[in-house]
Amino acid sequence: MIRILVTGASGSTGRPLVERLRAAPVTVRTATRTGLSGPGEHVSFDWMDPETHDAALEEVDRIYLLGPGLVAEVDAIVIPFVRRALDRGVRRFVMLSASAVPEGTPGLGAVHAFLRRHAPEWAVLQPSWFMQNFIDPRHHHARGLLDGQLVTATADGRVGFVDARDIADVAAHALLDAEPHDTAHVITGPEALGYDDVAARLSRALGRTIEHRAVEPQTLVRHLVDHEIPEPYAELLAGLDRDIRKGEHAQTTDTVMRITGHAPRSFDAFVREYASRWSSPRVAKTNDS
Protein backbone atom coordinates (compact mmCIF):
# COMPACT_ATOMS: atom_id res chain seq x y z
CA MET A 1 0.00 0.00 0.00
CA ILE A 2 1.21 3.51 -0.82
CA ARG A 3 2.43 5.41 2.25
CA ILE A 4 2.09 9.22 2.14
CA LEU A 5 3.92 11.48 4.56
CA VAL A 6 2.10 14.75 5.30
CA THR A 7 4.29 17.45 6.81
CA GLY A 8 2.47 20.38 8.39
CA ALA A 9 -0.41 18.00 9.06
CA SER A 10 -1.99 20.29 11.66
CA GLY A 11 -2.05 23.36 9.39
CA SER A 12 -4.71 25.05 7.26
CA THR A 13 -4.08 22.77 4.28
CA GLY A 14 -2.64 19.80 6.17
CA ARG A 15 -5.71 19.00 8.26
CA PRO A 16 -8.23 18.85 5.39
CA LEU A 17 -5.67 17.04 3.25
CA VAL A 18 -5.25 14.32 5.90
CA GLU A 19 -9.04 13.89 6.02
CA ARG A 20 -9.19 13.37 2.26
CA LEU A 21 -6.24 10.97 2.20
CA ARG A 22 -7.69 8.89 5.02
CA ALA A 23 -10.67 8.14 2.79
CA ALA A 24 -8.36 6.68 0.13
CA PRO A 25 -6.71 3.23 0.06
CA VAL A 26 -3.34 4.55 1.26
CA THR A 27 -1.45 4.70 4.54
CA VAL A 28 -1.24 8.24 5.89
CA ARG A 29 1.62 9.29 8.13
CA THR A 30 1.22 12.69 9.77
CA ALA A 31 4.31 14.64 10.76
CA THR A 32 3.98 17.41 13.34
CA ARG A 33 5.93 18.72 16.31
CA THR A 34 3.10 17.94 18.73
CA GLY A 35 1.44 14.86 17.23
CA LEU A 36 -2.10 14.18 16.03
CA SER A 37 -4.78 11.67 16.92
CA GLY A 38 -6.92 9.55 14.62
CA PRO A 39 -6.28 6.66 12.25
CA GLY A 40 -3.00 6.24 10.44
CA GLU A 41 0.58 6.70 11.54
CA HIS A 42 1.95 9.68 13.45
CA VAL A 43 5.54 10.83 13.92
CA SER A 44 7.19 13.68 15.77
CA PHE A 45 8.79 15.94 13.19
CA ASP A 46 10.67 19.21 13.38
CA TRP A 47 12.16 20.84 10.29
CA MET A 48 14.89 22.34 12.45
CA ASP A 49 15.87 18.97 13.96
CA PRO A 50 17.27 16.60 11.31
CA GLU A 51 17.33 13.83 13.92
CA THR A 52 13.53 13.57 13.44
CA HIS A 53 13.69 13.20 9.65
CA ASP A 54 14.77 9.59 9.13
CA ALA A 55 11.91 8.10 11.13
CA ALA A 56 9.42 10.26 9.22
CA LEU A 57 10.78 9.02 5.87
CA GLU A 58 10.87 5.30 6.64
CA GLU A 59 9.12 3.33 3.84
CA VAL A 60 7.44 6.47 2.47
CA ASP A 61 6.41 6.63 -1.22
CA ARG A 62 4.98 10.16 -1.51
CA ILE A 63 5.30 13.39 0.48
CA TYR A 64 3.29 16.55 0.99
CA LEU A 65 5.88 19.23 1.69
CA LEU A 66 4.98 22.22 3.83
CA GLY A 67 8.22 23.99 4.65
CA PRO A 68 8.96 25.79 7.92
CA GLY A 69 7.42 29.22 8.35
CA LEU A 70 9.19 32.52 9.00
CA VAL A 71 12.51 31.10 7.77
CA ALA A 72 14.46 33.29 5.36
CA GLU A 73 16.50 30.53 3.63
CA VAL A 74 13.88 27.78 3.61
CA ASP A 75 15.59 26.04 0.69
CA ALA A 76 18.66 25.38 2.87
CA ILE A 77 16.40 23.28 5.10
CA VAL A 78 13.96 21.68 2.66
CA ILE A 79 16.34 20.69 -0.17
CA PRO A 80 18.56 18.50 2.07
CA PHE A 81 15.38 16.81 3.33
CA VAL A 82 14.26 16.17 -0.25
CA ARG A 83 17.69 14.76 -1.10
CA ARG A 84 17.41 12.40 1.88
CA ALA A 85 13.93 11.38 0.76
CA LEU A 86 15.14 10.70 -2.78
CA ASP A 87 17.97 8.54 -1.43
CA ARG A 88 15.34 6.52 0.46
CA GLY A 89 13.27 5.92 -2.66
CA VAL A 90 10.49 8.53 -2.35
CA ARG A 91 9.11 9.12 -5.84
CA ARG A 92 6.41 11.78 -5.63
CA PHE A 93 6.60 15.19 -3.97
CA VAL A 94 3.77 17.73 -3.73
CA MET A 95 4.92 21.04 -2.25
CA LEU A 96 2.91 24.02 -1.04
CA SER A 97 4.42 27.25 -2.31
CA ALA A 98 2.58 30.45 -3.25
CA SER A 99 1.51 32.36 -6.32
CA ALA A 100 3.85 35.16 -5.22
CA VAL A 101 6.90 32.84 -5.38
CA PRO A 102 8.13 32.22 -8.96
CA GLU A 103 10.20 29.13 -9.70
CA GLY A 104 13.90 29.72 -9.16
CA THR A 105 13.59 32.65 -6.75
CA PRO A 106 15.18 32.35 -3.30
CA GLY A 107 13.49 30.13 -0.73
CA LEU A 108 10.56 28.03 -1.92
CA GLY A 109 11.24 29.05 -5.51
CA ALA A 110 14.60 27.31 -5.29
CA VAL A 111 12.95 24.17 -3.91
CA HIS A 112 10.46 24.36 -6.80
CA ALA A 113 13.34 24.37 -9.30
CA PHE A 114 15.07 21.51 -7.48
CA LEU A 115 11.94 19.34 -7.60
CA ARG A 116 11.51 19.97 -11.32
CA ARG A 117 15.09 18.87 -11.97
CA HIS A 118 15.41 15.94 -9.58
CA ALA A 119 12.06 14.50 -8.42
CA PRO A 120 10.75 11.54 -10.47
CA GLU A 121 7.19 12.81 -9.90
CA TRP A 122 6.22 16.23 -8.58
CA ALA A 123 3.74 19.06 -8.30
CA VAL A 124 4.10 22.54 -6.82
CA LEU A 125 0.97 24.26 -5.52
CA GLN A 126 0.99 28.03 -5.92
CA PRO A 127 -2.16 29.29 -4.22
CA SER A 128 -3.25 32.88 -3.89
CA TRP A 129 -3.95 34.40 -0.45
CA PHE A 130 -5.84 32.12 1.95
CA MET A 131 -9.36 33.04 3.05
CA GLN A 132 -8.38 31.42 6.34
CA ASN A 133 -6.07 34.38 7.03
CA PHE A 134 -9.19 36.20 8.18
CA ILE A 135 -9.93 33.65 10.92
CA ASP A 136 -6.44 32.49 11.95
CA PRO A 137 -5.68 34.32 15.22
CA ARG A 138 -1.97 34.30 14.34
CA HIS A 139 -2.57 36.39 11.22
CA HIS A 140 -2.58 40.18 11.38
CA HIS A 141 -5.80 40.42 9.36
CA ALA A 142 -7.69 38.19 11.80
CA ARG A 143 -6.37 40.21 14.72
CA GLY A 144 -7.29 43.45 12.95
CA LEU A 145 -10.88 42.29 12.47
CA LEU A 146 -11.26 42.09 16.23
CA ASP A 147 -10.97 45.90 16.15
CA GLY A 148 -13.05 46.24 12.97
CA GLN A 149 -10.15 47.20 10.76
CA LEU A 150 -8.09 45.78 7.89
CA VAL A 151 -4.86 47.69 7.35
CA THR A 152 -3.12 47.11 4.00
CA ALA A 153 -0.83 48.81 1.51
CA THR A 154 -2.74 47.28 -1.43
CA ALA A 155 -4.71 50.42 -2.43
CA ASP A 156 -7.34 49.16 -4.91
CA GLY A 157 -5.38 46.06 -5.94
CA ARG A 158 -7.25 42.77 -6.09
CA VAL A 159 -6.56 39.21 -4.92
CA GLY A 160 -8.08 35.87 -5.92
CA PHE A 161 -8.58 34.71 -2.32
CA VAL A 162 -8.80 30.90 -2.05
CA ASP A 163 -10.17 28.56 0.60
CA ALA A 164 -7.42 26.33 2.05
CA ARG A 165 -9.76 23.35 1.71
CA ASP A 166 -9.75 23.78 -2.05
CA ILE A 167 -5.95 23.78 -1.97
CA ALA A 168 -6.11 20.54 0.02
CA ASP A 169 -8.42 19.03 -2.61
CA VAL A 170 -5.92 19.83 -5.36
CA ALA A 171 -3.10 18.45 -3.21
CA ALA A 172 -5.00 15.21 -2.65
CA HIS A 173 -5.36 14.70 -6.40
CA ALA A 174 -1.69 15.52 -6.98
CA LEU A 175 -0.75 12.88 -4.40
CA LEU A 176 -3.28 10.18 -5.33
CA ASP A 177 -3.79 10.39 -9.09
CA ALA A 178 -2.29 7.48 -10.98
CA GLU A 179 -0.45 9.83 -13.33
CA PRO A 180 1.87 12.40 -11.74
CA HIS A 181 0.98 16.02 -12.44
CA ASP A 182 4.61 17.13 -13.01
CA THR A 183 3.65 20.80 -13.10
CA ALA A 184 2.93 23.87 -11.02
CA HIS A 185 -0.71 24.64 -10.19
CA VAL A 186 -1.71 28.28 -9.61
CA ILE A 187 -4.76 28.01 -7.35
CA THR A 188 -7.28 30.81 -6.75
CA GLY A 189 -10.85 31.33 -5.70
CA PRO A 190 -13.59 32.20 -8.21
CA GLU A 191 -13.17 35.99 -8.12
CA ALA A 192 -10.55 38.65 -7.44
CA LEU A 193 -11.47 41.04 -4.63
CA GLY A 194 -9.98 44.24 -3.32
CA TYR A 195 -9.78 44.81 0.41
CA ASP A 196 -12.54 47.43 0.10
CA ASP A 197 -14.73 44.60 -1.25
CA VAL A 198 -13.64 42.31 1.59
CA ALA A 199 -14.44 44.93 4.21
CA ALA A 200 -17.85 45.66 2.67
CA ARG A 201 -18.83 41.99 2.50
CA LEU A 202 -17.70 41.34 6.05
CA SER A 203 -19.62 44.39 7.24
CA ARG A 204 -22.84 43.18 5.60
CA ALA A 205 -22.47 39.63 6.91
CA LEU A 206 -21.50 40.59 10.46
CA GLY A 207 -23.80 43.55 10.94
CA ARG A 208 -21.00 45.83 12.09
CA THR A 209 -18.61 48.13 10.29
CA ILE A 210 -15.34 46.71 9.05
CA GLU A 211 -13.01 49.38 7.66
CA HIS A 212 -10.26 48.94 5.11
CA ARG A 213 -7.55 51.44 6.01
CA ALA A 214 -5.28 51.88 3.00
CA VAL A 215 -1.77 53.06 3.91
CA GLU A 216 1.63 53.37 2.28
CA PRO A 217 3.99 50.35 2.51
CA GLN A 218 6.33 51.89 5.09
CA THR A 219 3.35 52.89 7.23
CA LEU A 220 2.19 49.28 7.07
CA VAL A 221 5.62 48.10 8.21
CA ARG A 222 5.45 50.37 11.26
CA HIS A 223 1.89 49.24 12.00
CA LEU A 224 2.86 45.57 11.86
CA VAL A 225 5.97 46.06 13.98
CA ASP A 226 3.83 47.91 16.55
CA HIS A 227 1.67 44.77 16.63
CA GLU A 228 4.61 42.50 17.43
CA ILE A 229 5.43 41.25 13.94
CA PRO A 230 9.21 41.02 13.40
CA GLU A 231 10.44 43.79 11.13
CA PRO A 232 11.93 41.53 8.40
CA TYR A 233 8.61 39.70 8.10
CA ALA A 234 6.72 43.01 8.18
CA GLU A 235 8.88 44.21 5.28
CA LEU A 236 8.04 41.02 3.38
CA LEU A 237 4.30 41.50 3.94
CA ALA A 238 4.50 45.12 2.85
CA GLY A 239 6.32 44.03 -0.30
CA LEU A 240 3.56 41.56 -1.10
CA ASP A 241 0.98 44.30 -0.61
CA ARG A 242 2.98 46.50 -2.97
CA ASP A 243 2.77 43.76 -5.62
CA ILE A 244 -1.00 43.49 -5.11
CA ARG A 245 -1.25 47.26 -5.55
CA LYS A 246 0.50 46.89 -8.92
CA GLY A 247 -2.08 44.30 -10.03
CA GLU A 248 0.27 41.31 -9.98
CA HIS A 249 -2.10 38.98 -8.08
CA ALA A 250 -5.50 39.81 -9.56
CA GLN A 251 -5.70 36.68 -11.69
CA THR A 252 -8.17 33.85 -11.25
CA THR A 253 -7.65 30.32 -12.56
CA ASP A 254 -9.76 27.26 -13.30
CA THR A 255 -7.36 24.95 -11.43
CA VAL A 256 -9.76 23.83 -8.68
CA MET A 257 -12.52 22.94 -11.13
CA ARG A 258 -10.15 21.36 -13.63
CA ILE A 259 -8.32 19.17 -11.11
CA THR A 260 -11.07 18.34 -8.59
CA GLY A 261 -14.28 18.60 -10.62
CA HIS A 262 -15.91 21.06 -8.20
CA ALA A 263 -16.02 24.84 -8.22
CA PRO A 264 -13.83 26.73 -5.74
CA ARG A 265 -15.59 28.07 -2.66
CA SER A 266 -16.56 31.74 -2.83
CA PHE A 267 -15.57 34.38 -0.31
CA ASP A 268 -19.25 35.04 0.49
CA ALA A 269 -19.80 31.36 1.30
CA PHE A 270 -16.68 31.37 3.47
CA VAL A 271 -17.92 34.41 5.42
CA ARG A 272 -21.35 32.86 5.98
CA GLU A 273 -19.75 29.67 7.26
CA TYR A 274 -17.43 31.41 9.71
CA ALA A 275 -19.48 34.46 10.69
CA SER A 276 -19.66 33.31 14.31
CA ARG A 277 -15.87 33.67 14.57
CA TRP A 278 -16.24 37.43 14.23
CA SER A 279 -19.67 38.00 15.79
CA SER A 280 -18.40 38.74 19.32
CA PRO A 281 -15.04 40.47 18.91
CA ARG A 282 -14.35 40.95 22.60
CA VAL A 283 -15.07 37.31 23.36
CA ALA A 284 -12.95 36.19 20.41
CA LYS A 285 -10.09 38.40 21.53
CA THR A 286 -10.21 36.92 25.03
CA ASN A 287 -10.30 33.35 23.73
CA ASP A 288 -7.39 33.91 21.36
CA SER A 289 -5.13 35.69 23.83
Side-chain angles (χ1 to χ4, degrees), residues 4-142:
I4 299 176
L5 174 68
V6 179
T7 63
S10 61
S12 297
T13 60
R15 282 188 182 277
L17 173 59
V18 168
E19 291 178 8
R20 287 149 180 75
L21 295 179
R22 283 175 175 167
V26 298
T27 298
V28 182
R29 177 179 293 166
T30 63
T32 64
R33 287 196 299 268
T34 57
L36 292 176
S37 60
E41 303 172 353
H42 312 284
V43 293
S44 176
F45 181 86
D46 187 339
W47 278 110
M48 313 309 291
D49 182 6
E51 295 296 321
T52 67
H53 295 180
D54 281 340
L57 289 170
E58 186 174 351
E59 297 184 350
V60 164
D61 304 287
R62 303 175 183 184
I63 301 178
Y64 179 66
L65 286 170
L66 177 62
L70 303 180
V71 175
E73 297 180 351
V74 66
D75 50 313
I77 297 168
V78 177
I79 288 178
F81 177 79
V82 172
R83 289 187 187 276
R84 185 178 297 194
L86 288 168
D87 289 343
R88 285 174 163 264
V90 176
R91 288 196 54 79
R92 185 176 298 190
F93 299 80
V94 175
M95 184 182 76
L96 181 66
S97 183
S99 60
V101 181
E103 179 183 354
T105 55
L108 290 175
V111 184
H112 181 161
F114 183 87
L115 291 175
R116 180 189 290 275
R117 290 195 304 269
H118 298 287
E121 302 174 354
W122 65 280
V124 173
L125 312 183
Q126 295 182 297
S128 186
W129 275 244
F130 288 19
M131 294 179 188
Q132 277 73 9
N133 289 346
F134 296 104
I135 59 172
D136 184 343
R138 299 167 298 179
H139 196 277
H140 63 282
H141 284 331

Side-chain angles (χ1 to χ4, degrees):
M1 182 176 288
I2 293 171
R3 176 175 280 104
I4 299 176
L5 174 68
V6 179
T7 63
S10 61
S12 297
T13 60
R15 282 188 182 277
L17 173 59
V18 168
E19 291 178 8
R20 287 149 180 75
L21 295 179
R22 283 175 175 167
V26 298
T27 298
V28 182
R29 177 179 293 166
T30 63
T32 64
R33 287 196 299 268
T34 57
L36 292 176
S37 60
E41 303 172 353
H42 312 284
V43 293
S44 176
F45 181 86
D46 187 339
W47 278 110
M48 313 309 291
D49 182 6
E51 295 296 321
T52 67
H53 295 180
D54 281 340
L57 289 170
E58 186 174 351
E59 297 184 350
V60 164
D61 304 287
R62 303 175 183 184
I63 301 178
Y64 179 66
L65 286 170
L66 177 62
L70 303 180
V71 175
E73 297 180 351
V74 66
D75 50 313
I77 297 168
V78 177
I79 288 178
F81 177 79
V82 172
R83 289 187 187 276
R84 185 178 297 194
L86 288 168
D87 289 343
R88 285 174 163 264
V90 176
R91 288 196 54 79
R92 185 176 298 190
F93 299 80
V94 175
M95 184 182 76
L96 181 66
S97 183
S99 60
V101 181
E103 179 183 354
T105 55
L108 290 175
V111 184
H112 181 161
F114 183 87
L115 291 175
R116 180 189 290 275
R117 290 195 304 269
H118 298 287
E121 302 174 354
W122 65 280
V124 173
L125 312 183
Q126 295 182 297
S128 186
W129 275 244
F130 288 19
M131 294 179 188
Q132 277 73 9
N133 289 346
F134 296 104
I135 59 172
D136 184 343
R138 299 167 298 179
H139 196 277
H140 63 282
H141 284 331
R143 295 198 299 271
L145 287 174
L146 300 177
D147 299 319
Q149 192 173 83
L150 294 170
V151 181
T152 84
T154 60
D156 59 356
R158 306 175 79 80
V159 174
F161 293 102
V162 61
D163 193 306
R165 294 168 294 185
D166 289 328
I167 303 167
D169 288 344
V170 175
H173 277 270
L175 287 163
L176 295 171
D177 286 352
E179 293 297 320
H181 291 195
D182 292 342
T183 191
H185 292 302
V186 177
I187 309 171
T188 74
E191 59 182 333
L193 301 173
Y195 280 90
D196 284 345
D197 300 318
V198 169
R201 295 185 186 201
L202 285 167
S203 296
R204 287 196 298 270
L206 305 182
R208 61 186 177 93
T209 299
I210 303 296
E211 174 194 7
H212 172 218
R213 184 158 70 90
V215 300
E216 293 302 312
Q218 281 309 117
T219 302
L220 177 63
V221 171
R222 292 195 298 272
H223 170 81
L224 295 174
V225 170
D226 288 345
H227 287 76
E228 302 180 348
I229 292 177
E231 187 165 356
Y233 192 57
E235 293 277 3
L236 171 64
L237 293 174
L240 293 174
D241 274 17
R242 190 180 293 112
D243 292 342
I244 293 171
R245 177 188 292 221
K246 292 187 292 186
E248 295 182 6
H249 300 289
Q251 80 273 25
T252 58
T253 69
D254 68 349
T255 303
V256 174
M257 175 64 81
R258 179 167 46 84
I259 299 299
T260 72
H262 70 72
R265 296 170 176 87
S266 70
F267 187 78
D268 288 336
F270 177 83
V271 171
R272 288 193 298 271
E273 183 175 357
Y274 289 99
S276 62
R277 297 285 189 99
W278 303 292
S279 60
S280 302
R282 292 184 181 180
V283 173
K285 194 167 187 177
T286 300
N287 290 343
D288 290 339
S289 61

